[in-house]
Amino acid sequence: AILAQVIRLKPFRPSCSRQSQSQHMPLVPACSGLAAASAKAGSAQEPSHAKCAETAPSDAGSDVDPTACTSQGSVLLCIDCELPDGVEIANNWYGRCLVTTKPFKEGQNIYSQCTVKGRAVEYSIRVKQGESVMTYLMDTMNSVKDVTTDLRNLYTFNGFTNHSCEPNTYSIDSDDSPDSLSYDTYANRDIDIGEELSVDYATYEYECDAHPIEKCFCGSTKCRGFMRGFKHLTWDEKIEIMPRAELSLWEKFVGETPNLGFVDYTHCLPGSIDVVQRCEEWEMVAAKPIRAGELLFRNTSTVVTDEEFKFVVRLRDKVRLAVAGEHFLHRKGYMEFVGFDSFLQHSCDPNVEQHYLSMTDYEIRARRGIELGETITWDCAALDNLFTGAKLLPVKSFTCRCGSDCCRGEIHA
């Protein structure tokens, strides 16, 4: 049975090796692994991350004095890292930035990196590039408060990545341990040589602490005007960036928002079906040839009693908002949210039918043979629960355009 559950806990991820924050990390090309950088820029004023202490270039492999950056006479935490091939640190009119030294294709991995989790307000990074090692002083402009703890994610060289409301990179986390966050950064589109790398801060910052951008200068036609974190986005903006946003942001938002559930079906779709997006609609299609009478899947619906309740539904890189008037089955005294199959398309001559096994358990079987890639359809006005006798209460009317010989035209469902 395919059981979908409202997600309120962070999913299990295998832990990576713990790194002591009292010792220097070794110079390595990077860890593997979400969340992009965080050099908070975008205001016309020179941000504090532009200040740095730079050592003279040294021979490859030589050590750099870790006390090169100090704060009030104290030695700072110093994190070692290495710039990846094709990326360099540069300057722009609002401070540091990252630019490319080679082109990247859409979807190509640009680098893999990891943060160090800690409480440091200031820290330093030693960045190895070729034969030289440079040391930079970092602060809260280059770190991000962890959503689930009181620690901060201390970024390395990609702490100089600037924000854009239409960025050219995105990141996917691979490991979130108590000591570090690992992530992989990819090209959101083709990126030319010399182009500045950018990321949408709202995909990994729930609420900007100490560095909100009150006036964004990204220049995109999709510019929101400011960047204060995921929490402050509109519903439409949250839905739009959700496929690229950290899961922890949605978990926190769901926990703070009444009458809202978040369901992720990414890893529990049955093997017989797939999901495609055509125009603005989702469609379920056959992922293999299906014989007449064959079981496609069994599922369990969620009983909902509040008309205001809604679900954010995720299917891989697709996100939709499921609401009572569009996606719930209405019955006397309650409603049912049947999950991913809420997005099945209607036909007056459908190729599947629903059979209830209890109040909430049901199965979907093929009424006839279904070809690979064919849209899976049901008659959304014929969803009575014959097991309990609960009738479907029509709450919506629409004009059917299924094109079948038996099309009824006006549908009440």
Side-chain angles (χ1 to χ4, degrees), residues 1 32 101 154 176 211 263 281 290:
S32 61
T101 57
L154 310 179
D176 191 359
H211 49 223
V263 190
E281 296 297 324
I290 300 171

Side-chain angles (χ1 to χ4, degrees), residues 261-283:
F262 172 49
V263 190
D264 191 352
Y265 292 108
T266 298
H267 301 295
C268 61
L269 278 182
S272 57
I273 67 172
D274 198 1
V275 182
V276 297
Q277 185 163 340
R278 292 173 178 157
C279 297
E280 296 300 318
E281 296 297 324
W282 284 6
E283 290 188 12

Side-chain angles (χ1 to χ4, degrees), residues 226-284:
F226 59 86
M227 219 309 293
R228 303 186 188 112
F230 180 87
K231 177 181 179 179
H232 300 280
L233 300 181
T234 66
W235 263 109
D236 289 344
E237 289 168 346
K238 287 184 175 74
I239 294 295
E240 182 180 1
I241 73 165
M242 198 277 177
R244 304 296 195 209
E246 283 190 13
L247 183 59
S248 59
L249 302 185
W250 277 101
E251 292 169 348
K252 186 172 179 63
F253 181 68
V254 168
E256 294 181 353
T257 306
N259 300 320
L260 179 66
F262 172 49
V263 190
D264 191 352
Y265 292 108
T266 298
H267 301 295
C268 61
L269 278 182
S272 57
I273 67 172
D274 198 1
V275 182
V276 297
Q277 185 163 340
R278 292 173 178 157
C279 297
E280 296 300 318
E281 296 297 324
W282 284 6
E283 290 188 12
M284 303 290 173

